[in-house]
Amino acid sequence: MNFFQDYSHLSSEEIFDKILNGEIDYGTQWFTEEWSEEEWREKREEGGTHGQILKKLLEEDEEQWMKDSVSEIDFWSIPFDVKRVFVEDSEALIRKGMCEILLSKLARVSRGVFNPRYIKDEMFKWDRKPPPALKAASRGELWFSSGWIFRISFEFRGKENLVEFYSAGKYLYMNPLIERINELIKDTGYQYYALHDEDIILVVLREDEVKKLKGERGWKLYLPRVKAHS
């Protein structure tokens, strides 16, 4: 399926070894992109790379991992392909400028179909009265009384677009943004699909690729919507 193209000269086993020893890694939390190389290195040394953490988990319970399905192993592996997979911890550190970084990361994994320009963003606090999209997604069980409204504008195909997405507390709710981008790129045959309900893991695929990943590898994929999916 053309994942890990930068390492296509290696076998799957060699790629996985590089993941486990930390040579191939990915960053979560948008703000890591603002850290200097030295700060990022210190952070990695404190907690280890994602691959080193995965290696510890494998060593602690190898028998259980051997029972996992192909899709479960894929779920742990594909985030390391940073050119194909968008990964963010849903609990984010809210900072000015985060919207532009998130949109740039979405463009990076778009396989060339989404290239926004002239990105601008604003942030507004909401208190006690959540945005309608958040209420719809929570199914009446919104546990936070405040959060943020992120308003982002960008040019795409010569037209300006304005989209809002939100947070409840520190938890990001990006579905309104992803749904709008999917509308803009629908004619290309590609869409952003989500792989997980809690963390934000997105991959851009054609419909035939979705069918193949579901049928051959058991992936659970869905299109992010403003209304909660069933």
Side-chain angles (χ1 to χ4, degrees), residues 120-137:
K120 299 177 182 178
D121 59 18
E122 298 177 284
M123 296 168 54
F124 309 92
K125 196 82 183 267
W126 67 264
D127 189 25
R128 292 188 175 84
K129 293 183 179 180
L134 268 179
K135 291 182 71 174

Side-chain angles (χ1 to χ4, degrees), residues 134-151:
L134 268 179
K135 291 182 71 174
S138 68
R139 296 173 177 166
E141 297 181 355
L142 192 62
W143 301 109
F144 297 89
S145 60
S146 65
W148 290 90
I149 298 171
F150 306 103
R151 185 172 296 161

Side-chain angles (χ1 to χ4, degrees), residues 163-204:
V163 189
E164 288 184 354
F165 65 102
Y166 315 99
S167 81
K170 292 182 179 180
Y171 289 89
L172 286 178
Y173 177 61
M174 292 180 60
N175 280 15
L177 174 61
I178 306 304
E179 186 173 23
R180 177 59 180 149
I181 294 173
N182 275 344
E183 290 173 359
L184 293 173
I185 64 172
K186 189 174 182 179
D187 64 327
T188 69
Y190 289 97
Q191 296 279 268
Y192 286 83
Y193 286 85
L195 283 88
H196 202 257
D197 283 322
E198 295 178 8
D199 292 322
I200 305 170
I201 302 178
L202 302 164
V203 61
V204 176

